[in-house]
Amino acid sequence: MNRPAKPVPGPLEPRPWTRRIAGFLVIAYAVISLIPLAWIILTSFRTPEDAISYPPKVIAEPSLVGYVNLFTTRTRVTPEQMAAAPPASSWYEALIRKQGMFMAGPSRFFDRYVNSLIVGFGSTFLAIVLGTMTAYALSRFKVPGKNDLLFFILSTRMMPPIAIAIPVFLMYREVGLNDTYLGLTLLYTVVNLSLSVWLLKGFMDEIPREYEEAAMVDGYSRFQAFIKIVLPQAATGIATTAIFCLIFAWNEYAFALLLTSGNAQTAPPFIPTIIGEGGLDWAAMAAGTTLFLLPVLVFTVLLRKQLLRGITFGAIRK
């Protein structure tokens, strides 16, 4: 009985050994990339002493001191004052007293975290709304000087943001937008708008015009066809663009440091200022970094299917 012949890979198909090597390289790269993230998470569950121990401890007794220090402010007291104080009323206050301190009140981290949520998601929403409408107009209508306009929009991403930091600071000071949610949200929206327009225009170009024409023949207006036909078809591109816009707005440091100081300050410039006794509280900084990663991580995981489709295939193939 003749055995069936093994399929011969085509000229463009990778060989089995090539696939194995590629898979090994991808896994190795992922592991190496995740080591710093894993170390930050481990450090957030250590005491300040274990966080700065030398040589570094790979395995240490877990502790929530870093998270307690992140969300509270403390004051050092003498042993006599500690002995005369009543018992701790909560588990986190007991952790603070083990460090020889009393809790003075909540820290400002939660406020800064909320500021990041407001500015990050607010600017992402505005960049997506404005970018979607602009990309649709550039894709469907004859706009005079379209190519020059697109290049001008893209050119705003060529200059490093820090190069315009001083002019933006002076302008914001004159119009009263320093240290405000509106000022930071508008700035992040403008910076993200060029990325939003260019990405979304590519997706809009791939949506067949015949869908809209058929809808308008059935009695839909142009706006109704845009809302009910184009937007659902462009959902993959919108989700992909939203992730990239949020990552920039969420991680941005230079403008947040320069333009905010109190009311609208976000988490990135606040986390490095967490001071412990005798220096930086690395456990609390690691705890703040771990919590800071969660919103973008959750947002990306929720849209991961659209992100993969958007990067590899685009919206729709004609």
Side-chain angles (χ1 to χ4, degrees):
M1 181 176 180
N2 296 329
R3 294 182 180 180
K6 294 183 179 180
V8 179
L12 299 180
E13 294 183 9
R15 303 289 178 177
W17 62 270
T18 306
R19 294 180 180 179
R20 296 189 187 98
I21 294 177
F24 172 78
L25 292 177
V26 169
I27 294 174
Y29 176 77
V31 171
I32 294 173
S33 300
L34 289 175
I35 287 176
L37 179 60
W39 189 260
I40 290 173
I41 296 174
L42 289 175
T43 302
S44 70
F45 289 101
R46 294 177 177 177
T47 62
E49 294 76 16
D50 288 339
I52 60 174
S53 63
Y54 186 84
K57 295 181 179 179
V58 178
I59 300 176
E61 182 179 356
S63 174
L64 293 176
V65 171
Y67 290 90
V68 171
N69 291 349
L70 176 66
F71 285 99
T72 61
T73 57
R74 301 154 308 283
T75 179
R76 173 68 61 180
V77 296
T78 63
E80 293 77 14
Q81 291 174 318
M82 182 67 67
S89 59
S90 60
W91 63 270
Y92 54 86
E93 189 174 353
L95 287 178
I96 293 174
R97 293 198 179 182
K98 286 183 180 180
Q99 304 175 70
M101 301 179 184
F102 282 162
M103 186 176 70
S107 70
R108 298 178 298 171
F109 175 75
F110 181 76
D111 296 335
R112 303 303 186 256
Y113 198 78
V114 173
N115 290 348
S116 289
L117 291 173
I118 294 173
V119 174
F121 283 93
S123 62
T124 299
F125 175 77
L126 289 177
I128 292 300
V129 171
L130 297 176
T132 301
M133 294 188 293
T134 304
Y136 179 76
L138 293 172
S139 176
R140 291 296 188 265
F141 304 117
K142 294 183 179 180
V143 179
K146 178 190 299 186
N147 294 332
D148 295 334
L149 181 59
L150 282 170
F151 179 77
F152 173 76
I153 294 173
L154 180 63
S155 67
T156 60
R157 299 284 296 192
M158 299 178 183
M159 182 180 297
I162 195 62
I164 60 172
I166 299 302
V168 170
F169 173 78
L170 296 176
M171 179 179 66
Y172 270 35
R173 187 178 62 179
E174 291 296 323
V175 299
L177 288 178
N178 270 346
D179 200 19
T180 62
Y181 297 116
L182 178 61
L184 208 57
T185 301
L186 290 178
L187 181 61
Y188 290 171
T189 301
V190 170
V191 174
N192 271 329
L193 194 56
S194 59
L195 176 67
S196 176
V197 170
W198 269 86
L199 287 179
L200 288 173
K201 184 183 180 298
F203 286 99
M204 295 293 180
D205 289 342
E206 292 182 348
I207 299 177
R209 297 171 180 261
E210 290 78 10
Y211 290 176
E212 300 162 71
E213 294 172 356
M216 287 187 286
V217 168
D218 289 340
Y220 281 29
S221 64
R222 170 70 71 172
F223 181 74
Q224 289 174 327
F226 171 71
I227 296 295
K228 297 183 179 182
I229 304 299
V230 177
L231 286 186
Q233 300 293 341
T236 297
I238 292 173
T240 304
T241 306
I243 291 174
F244 286 115
C245 290
L246 179 62
I247 289 174
F248 168 81
W250 191 255
N251 295 330
E252 204 284 322
Y253 178 84
F255 285 126
L257 178 65
L258 182 66
L259 301 178
T260 63
S261 57
N263 295 330
Q265 187 183 50
T266 54
F270 173 76
I271 292 176
T273 65
I274 299 174
I275 305 297
E277 184 181 9
L280 297 176
D281 190 340
W282 291 103
M285 290 179 61
T289 304
T290 301
L291 294 177
F292 184 71
L293 293 172
L294 291 180
V296 174
L297 178 62
V298 172
F299 189 72
T300 304
V301 169
L302 292 176
L303 301 179
R304 65 187 183 280
K305 292 183 180 179
Q306 287 79 3
L307 176 63
L308 292 174
R309 290 177 56 198
I311 291 177
T312 56
F313 300 107
I316 288 181
R317 298 293 180 183
K318 290 186 180 181

